[in-house]
Amino acid sequence: MSRLLESFRIALRGLVANKVRAALTMLGIIIGVAAVIALVSIGEGFSAYVSGELEGLGTRTLFVWTNRDAANPQQLTTADAEALADPLACPGIEAVAPAYQQGATATYAGIETSPNVSGVTPEYLTVQSYDMKVGRFIEQDDVDHRGRVAVLGSTPASDLFPGSAYPIGETIRLNDVPFEVIGVMAEKGSTGPMDNDDVVLIPLTTAQTRLFTVDTVRGDYVVSSINVLVQSEDMLDSTIEDVSAVLRERHRIQPGDTDDFQVRNPSDMVETVTGITTTLTIFLGAIAAISLLVGGIGIMNIMLVSVTERTREIGLRKAVGAGKSDILWQFLIEAVVMSLIGGLLGIGLGTAISQIAGSALDMQTVVSVNSVGLAFGFSAAVGVFFGIYPAMRAANLHPIDALRYE
Amino acid sequence: MIEPVIDVRDLTKVYQMGEVEVHALRGVSMQVMPGEMVAIMGPSGSGKSTLMNMLGCLDTPTSGEYYLEGAAVSDLNDQGLTSIRRHKVGFVFQTYNLLSRTSALANVEIPLIYGGVPRRQRRQRAIEALEMVGLGDRLHHQPNELSGGEQQRVAVARSLASEPAIILADEPTGNLDTRSGKEVMAVFQQLNRERGITVILVTHDPDIARHAQRIIWVRDGLVERAEQVGDRILADDSQGSEEDKGQAVAVAALDASGTFEEVAS
Ligand SMILES: Nc1ncnc2c1ncn2[C@@H]1O[C@H](COP(=O)(O)OP(=O)(O)OP(=O)(O)O)[C@@H](O)[C@H]1O
Ligand SMILES: [Mg+2]
C-alpha cells in the first residue's frame, strides 16, 4: 500500500517536473474528447430538432393537392372533399379539411400586414393540430352562413394588436372586407419553410365567395388543398388507395392515365429529411473520429518523443533499486492521471461548445453518455497504452541497456 | 576462513556490433574481501566500466561466474537482482546519470524510496549524504544548475545514502579538483573504516588509487596485476593507521593463500 502511495508520489512529481510534456499529452486528450462530445451532441441535437419539427405535421395526416404535371388537371373542389368524407368510400378517414389559401392584406387601426389567408372548415383545427389561445375556432354555422369572422395566427395577432390590446370582438379588414376576430391560436412554429403562425383563418365559403374570386368546376368551388386525418397510422396505405380511387372516379381518369392529384403523407418527408440528418450526423461523427485520431496521434507522439529520456530514467531507477512493478505503477499512474485530467477538461470543453452551439443555433443539444464514454475511453486507452508500453519494454531491459538507450 | 564478498571467475563480455565482436572483457578473475577498499586502474577502453556494471548487477556477462556473498548471480531472477541493487550495492556512474529537472535532494532520495525508507527519515539521510560530499548548500539545485563536479558528488551521495554493503564507484573523482577529490575519498575511507562498507572504485589518478588498500590493473579486458598499496594515503589524516595496519595484515594473509593472480612484491 505504501509502495503504491510512493509510486503515486513519484508519478505526480514526474508530471510536475515535466509540465510541458504532461500538458501536451493532455492537450491531445482534451482535443479528442471535446471534439467528439461537441460534434456528436450537435449532430444529435440537430436531427432531434428536425424530426421534432416534422412530428408537428402529424404522422396520421395526408395532404391532397393538384398534380400540375398531369395533362389538363382538374382542380380539387369542395365537393371532392365532401366525397372523401363519406365513410363508405373511405372508411379509414377521421376528418377531412379542405382549404382555400391565398395571400391578403390585413389592416387594423392603421397597422397593415400580409398574412396567408386560408378559408377552412372546423375540422382544420384538429387536422392541422392547432391550439386555441383565446376565443373560439370557426364553427360549421360560420361556414354555412359565410360568416365574416376570422381566427388569427399568433403572428398577425401580435402584429395587429401589439401590447395588451385584446383582439376578440374587434373588426379587422382583409383586402378591405371587414371581419370580426373571434379567436387567436397558440404559437405553433414553422414546419420546414412553412410559417404556421403567419396565418388568418376564415370560413371556407366566405373565402370562396366573399373575399376572393374563386374558380368553379361544374358548379363546385375550387379548394387549394385537402388535408385528411387518418384514424390510425396502419390505415395510411389503404386510405391513400381509397382517396385515389374516389378522386380518380370523380375526375373521370381513365385506367392507365396518371392521377391529376397527389396524395402525400408527411412521414415520406420525415424519411427524406431523416436520411439527410443521419448523413449529417455520420459526417460530424467522422470529423469527430478524425479529431480523436489526431488527438491520439498527438498523445502517441509526445509519449514516443520522450521515450528516450524515459527509458534512461527507467534504467537509472532500476539501477538504484526499482523493481519492474515500481516502474509499471509509476507509469500507469502517470498515464491514468493525465488521461483523467485531460478527459475531464475535454468533457467540460466539449459540453461548453455544444451548449454554445445549441443556443447559437436555437436547438437542444444533449451530450450523450455514449459519446463521452467512447471519446474518454479511446483517449484514455491511447494515453495509457503509449504511456505503459514503452515503459514496459524499458523495464524489461538491463538497467545498463536502458541507460544507454538512444 | 573469510569468504570473499565478490568472487569473479573468468568473466567475459562480448558486445556484438553488427559483424564485429568487441571483446570488452576476456576472462577477468578477481576477488574482493568484505570491508576491503580496492581501486581498479587501467587505460581507457580496457573494460573497467564494463566490469563495474557486471559487479553491480546492471548488466549480464557473456560467460564466466560471479558470486556475490557466495551466491551465484547468474541464478538470480529479476527480483533477486532488484533486491541486490536495492539493498546491497550503491553505484556511482562514470556519467553520473542524475534525473534531470529533479533536485539534488530528490535525486539522492530515489534509492531510499525503493529501499522502503520512511519519508522523514529518507529526507534526513539524503541531506546527511549530501552534506558528507560538501553539498549541504546545494540541496535544491537541479542537475543543470550544478557544476560537473557537483553533479558527480550528487551521484556519490546517492550511492552512499542507502548505506549499502558495497559501493561501486566508476571514476567518482574524474571531474573533481584535487581537494574535492580528496574529500570524496575521505568519505569513502570513513564509510569503509567505520561501517565496514566494501568500496571498489575506478580511477585514472594514481594518487586517488593510493587511497585504496589494493590496486587492480586491468588491460585489454584482462586483469594485468594486483598490488597492495604500500604507502596508503589517508585523506582524513587523523587516527586510523592502527586499523589500517590490521587490514593490511588480513590482506597479506589473503595474498599468501594465493587468491590473486598476480601480487606485486
Ligand atoms: N555497449 C557497447 N557496445 C559496444 N562496445 C562497447 C559497449 N560498451 C563498451 N564497449 C567497448 O568495450 C570496451 C570497454 O569499454 P569500457 O567502457 O568498459 O572501458 P573503460 O575501461 O571504462 O574506459 P574509460 O576509462 O574510458 O571509461 C571499449 O572498447 C568500448 O568501446
Ligand atoms: Mg569507463
Side-chain angles (χ1 to χ4, degrees):
Chain A
M1 191 56 226
S2 74
R3 284 203 88 74
L4 213 61
L5 201 68
E6 288 299 346
S7 299
F8 208 85
R9 281 210 193 92
I10 295 172
L12 290 190
R13 198 174 295 167
L15 287 178
V16 172
N18 301 282
K19 289 187 200 71
V20 177
R21 185 180 67 209
L24 286 175
T25 309
M26 282 192 274
L27 191 67
I29 298 176
I30 292 171
I31 289 174
V33 171
V36 169
I37 290 175
L39 290 174
V40 169
S41 79
I42 290 170
E44 283 182 357
F46 185 69
S47 25
Y49 168 79
V50 169
S51 47
E53 288 290 293
L54 291 174
E55 294 281 281
L57 287 174
T59 47
R60 289 193 291 136
T61 325
L62 293 177
F63 296 142
V64 185
W65 66 87
T66 304
N67 178 10
R68 299 195 191 284
D69 292 340
N72 294 321
Q74 180 180 320
Q75 299 202 66
L76 297 167
T77 63
T78 312
D80 286 334
E82 279 160 7
L84 293 178
D86 177 2
L88 292 175
C90 303
I93 285 182
E94 185 174 313
V96 176
Y100 181 84
Q101 200 171 63
Q102 200 172 320
T105 308
T107 48
Y108 175 78
I111 306 172
E112 189 176 305
T113 168
S114 310
N116 263 313
V117 174
S118 291
V120 301
T121 56
E123 289 81 8
Y124 196 78
L125 185 70
T126 347
V127 174
Q128 292 293 85
S129 57
Y130 276 107
D131 287 316
M132 293 307 294
K133 192 171 163 204
V134 287
R136 63 172 180 91
F137 197 68
I138 290 157
E139 283 164 8
Q140 192 56 45
D141 199 46
D142 300 318
V143 178
D144 292 345
H145 295 99
R146 304 178 190 185
R148 286 199 310 253
V149 292
V151 174
L152 304 183
S154 62
T155 307
S158 58
D159 286 350
L160 296 175
F161 300 92
S164 55
Y166 187 67
I168 309 298
E170 297 297 315
T171 302
I172 61 164
R173 288 175 176 274
L174 297 173
N175 289 353
D176 276 341
V177 180
F179 279 83
E180 185 195 343
V181 177
I182 55 167
V184 173
M185 295 184 297
E187 195 175 329
K188 191 178 175 211
S190 43
T191 312
M194 242 182 349
D195 185 347
N196 294 314
D197 294 316
D198 194 11
V199 293
V200 172
L201 305 181
I202 57 174
L204 177 61
T205 47
T206 315
Q208 288 166 326
T209 60
R210 290 192 158 185
L211 186 58
F212 302 122
T213 324
V214 172
D215 294 341
T216 55
V217 176
R218 273 180 262 114
D220 289 318
Y221 285 107
V222 160
V223 296
S224 325
S225 65
I226 303 174
N227 295 352
V228 172
L229 187 65
V230 181
Q231 284 165 11
S232 67
E233 272 181 54
D234 50 324
M235 294 172 91
L236 274 175
D237 290 340
S238 66
T239 305
I240 290 173
E241 280 171 28
D242 294 342
V243 167
S244 300
V246 169
L247 292 180
R248 280 180 77 90
E249 194 194 324
R250 289 182 54 81
H251 292 196
R252 308 218 175 86
I253 296 167
Q254 300 302 313
D257 285 0
T258 48
D259 296 343
D260 63 353
F261 55 87
Q262 293 180 43
V263 186
R264 276 290 184 83
N265 172 243
S267 68
D268 298 348
M269 295 184 245
V270 172
E271 266 162 37
T272 315
V273 177
T274 309
I276 294 169
T277 56
T278 308
T279 313
L280 184 79
T281 307
I282 291 173
F283 177 68
L284 289 179
I287 294 179
I290 291 170
S291 312
L292 205 54
L293 201 68
V294 169
I297 291 171
I299 299 167
M300 185 180 84
N301 253 340
I302 299 297
M303 294 293 197
L304 291 184
V305 162
S306 61
V307 88
T308 305
E309 197 194 1
R310 305 312 309 267
T311 304
R312 289 197 178 153
E313 176 186 339
I314 290 169
L316 185 268
R317 288 184 181 280
K318 280 196 74 175
V320 300
K324 242 188 258 184
S325 61
D326 295 313
I327 302 291
L328 289 184
W329 275 118
Q330 174 191 342
F331 278 72
L332 181 67
I333 292 168
E334 218 183 270
V336 167
V337 166
M338 281 195 295
S339 302
L340 271 181
I341 297 177
L344 289 178
L345 289 177
I347 290 171
L349 184 64
T351 310
I353 292 175
S354 99
Q355 225 106 77
I356 290 167
S359 60
L361 300 174
D362 198 20
M363 63 192 194
Q364 188 79 31
T365 53
V366 179
V367 173
S368 78
V369 179
N370 279 349
S371 66
V372 171
L374 171 87
F376 191 78
F378 180 82
S379 305
V382 171
V384 169
F385 179 79
F386 286 102
I388 289 283
Y389 174 68
M392 252 167 63
R393 270 194 357 195
N396 280 323
L397 293 175
H398 287 299
I400 278 297
D401 292 330
L403 277 167
R404 263 198 219 112
Y405 185 86
E406 257 154 23
Chain B
M1 174 91 206
I2 320 163
E3 291 285 320
V5 61
I6 283 174
D7 186 354
V8 165
R9 295 183 196 159
D10 220 12
L11 210 63
T12 71
K13 179 68 181 180
V14 181
Y15 291 112
Q16 196 72 43
M17 303 277 294
E19 297 284 280
V20 189
E21 285 186 344
V22 179
H23 292 262
L25 296 179
R26 301 194 292 172
V28 170
S29 299
M30 60 177 268
Q31 286 164 322
V32 176
M33 301 309 286
E36 217 186 342
M37 185 157 169
V38 177
I40 296 176
M41 295 190 75
S44 183
S46 53
K48 305 182 296 294
S49 295
T50 308
L51 176 61
M52 292 293 270
N53 293 340
M54 306 296 155
L55 297 184
C57 298
L58 304 180
D59 205 352
T60 47
T62 308
S63 71
E65 284 148 81
Y66 174 20
Y67 297 94
L68 186 69
E69 295 185 332
V73 169
S74 59
D75 290 346
L76 295 174
N77 58 10
D78 189 68
Q79 255 181 329
L81 293 173
T82 299
S83 163
I84 287 177
R85 295 180 205 125
R86 186 176 290 171
H87 301 295
K88 290 252 153 65
V89 178
F91 205 96
V92 184
F93 293 93
Q94 190 172 3
T95 50
Y96 326 147
N97 286 324
L98 302 179
L99 277 195
S100 53
R101 294 186 286 281
T102 305
S103 71
L105 187 58
N107 262 291
V108 175
E109 275 188 59
I110 296 172
L112 300 177
I113 296 175
Y114 297 119
V117 179
R119 221 140 78 95
R120 201 157 304 136
Q121 223 172 313
R122 185 198 300 164
R123 171 135 308 201
Q124 196 50 45
R125 274 165 67 173
I127 293 172
E128 276 167 21
L130 281 163
E131 281 169 348
M132 277 174 100
V133 297
L135 289 179
D137 54 351
R138 292 285 187 276
L139 300 181
H140 301 290
H141 287 236
Q142 298 185 354
N144 59 350
E145 298 159 349
L146 291 169
S147 76
E150 285 167 341
Q151 291 179 46
Q152 187 153 42
R153 281 184 281 163
V154 174
V156 170
R158 184 178 60 193
S159 76
L160 46 91
S162 55
E163 298 178 359
I166 307 165
I167 290 180
L168 301 170
D170 196 351
E171 304 207 21
T173 59
N175 249 311
L176 302 183
D177 56 45
T178 318
R179 205 174 68 88
S180 320
K182 271 201 183 302
E183 276 168 21
V184 166
M185 292 319 291
V187 171
F188 283 147
Q189 283 187 337
Q190 185 193 344
L191 291 172
N192 174 251
R193 187 177 56 237
E194 290 174 7
R195 304 197 189 151
I197 293 176
T198 308
V199 178
I200 303 176
L201 59 102
V202 171
T203 181
H204 284 281
D205 182 344
D207 279 342
I208 292 294
R210 277 173 55 216
H211 286 77
Q213 293 156 346
R214 187 157 60 95
I215 301 175
I216 296 173
W217 273 274
V218 176
R219 181 184 289 274
D220 292 336
L222 285 169
V223 173
E224 190 182 38
R225 65 199 165 91
E227 150 182 303
Q228 286 306 125
V229 177
D231 50 347
R232 188 181 182 204
I233 301 174
L234 291 177
D236 188 13
D237 31 39
S238 63
Q239 29 123 304
S241 47
E242 276 305 304
E243 291 166 65
D244 207 49
K245 253 182 225 151
Q247 293 263 6
V249 172
V251 173
L254 253 173
D255 294 350
S257 71
T259 318
F260 302 115
E261 286 185 318
E262 287 174 67
V263 179
S265 52

